Amino acid sequence: MNQSELLEKIKEKKLVPVVKLDRVEDAGPLCEALCEGGLPVAEITFRTAAAEGSIRTAAKEFPEMMVGAGTVINVEQAKRAVDAGASFLVSPGISREVTQWALANGIPIFPGTCSPSEIMTALEYGLPAVKFFPASQYGGLEAIKALAAPFPGISFMPTGGINAQNVREYLAFEKVIACGGSWMVKDGLIKEGNFAKIRELTGEAVALVNEGGER
């Protein structure tokens, strides 16, 4: 799946659950809960030792899902993630080395940006969309609108501080293709094994972002 194809699929879903897994054995039940809740997509972050194994489990057992790797900060992690089955990469900032590797290998990537200079770097690589992170700390929707004005050719996936109370406001802006969020996959719920609640929250999130029909 190339960047434009993945972009359309993510835009259709509107939400990308940002997942931190401490145990590989939680990957299966977590993915099942997301799929049953109507959101077959996950960004599994490279913040724990379980990330690579979790991505491998998710990609193998849930082929219908879009499984990405988040918090990718170097090429070594990028290679491990893709070898494990990740179909896209997300970074907290923009790394030329990681971006170049991803593009050279046909892997969609959403580098993190929060400034005009970083967006200009992303544009040098012809990227159609970037992550805006951490969204709430860097001005939220108003900052995105200000950045979108001089850069009409790029779209944003804000992450950080996105929740059920503000996600629709973000999505109402045409340059926001989707939002990354973790409120439906809270760390505490995963650790408790409360995947039924995750399924419930995911279903509520899907209904919320689709309220009022397509954009």
Side-chain angles (χ1 to χ4, degrees):
M1 192 183 307
N2 63 34
Q3 184 103 16
S4 60
E5 290 170 339
L6 183 83
L7 205 62
E8 284 305 309
K9 287 184 176 293
I10 287 179
K11 188 175 182 179
E12 177 186 318
K13 298 303 179 188
K14 302 178 184 176
L15 278 178
V16 177
V18 180
V19 182
K20 181 173 78 71
L21 291 169
D22 294 305
R23 301 173 300 200
V24 174
E25 55 264 35
D26 289 334
L30 183 280
C31 290
E32 184 176 30
L34 288 174
C35 289
E36 290 179 352
L39 194 56
V41 56
E43 174 193 327
I44 298 175
T45 63
F46 255 77
R47 297 181 184 181
T48 72
E52 184 177 355
S54 298
I55 290 169
R56 182 170 285 108
T57 295
K60 182 179 180 180
E61 297 184 8
F62 298 86
E64 71 276 24
M65 286 190 73
M66 290 182 284
V67 180
T71 324
V72 175
I73 60 174
N74 55 53
V75 172
E76 185 261 341
Q77 285 182 338
K79 290 178 178 177
R80 286 168 53 202
V82 172
D83 286 346
S87 57
F88 64 95
L89 303 174
V90 184
S91 297
I94 186 161
S95 160
R96 287 186 177 274
E97 287 187 352
V98 174
T99 301
Q100 288 167 358
W101 183 88
L103 294 177
N105 288 275
I107 306 300
I109 183 167
F110 299 92
T113 65
C114 62
S115 71
S117 296
E118 290 167 335
I119 292 171
M120 288 174 68
T121 300
L123 287 171
E124 288 178 20
Y125 293 103
L127 296 177
V130 293
K131 176 179 180 175
F132 182 72
F133 176 81
S136 61
Q137 288 84 353
Y138 278 91
L141 183 57
E142 290 307 306
I144 292 173
K145 288 180 176 179
L147 289 167
F151 303 115
I154 203 155
S155 297
F156 299 86
M157 185 166 67
T159 305
I162 310 295
N163 53 50
Q165 287 68 50
N166 61 20
V167 65
R168 280 176 57 83
E169 184 180 3
Y170 276 95
L171 289 170
F173 183 50
E174 61 180 4
K175 291 298 182 179
V176 171
I177 57 162
C179 290
S182 58
W183 79 90
M184 75 293 289
V185 288
K186 292 177 181 176
D187 194 39
L189 293 175
I190 295 173
K191 288 179 177 177
E192 292 167 9
N194 194 349
F195 298 104
K197 184 63 175 179
I198 289 173
R199 181 175 64 249
E200 177 188 334
L201 290 172
T202 299
E204 291 174 357
V206 170
L208 177 66
V209 300
N210 287 301
E211 191 177 309
E214 296 298 316
R215 286 180 288 169

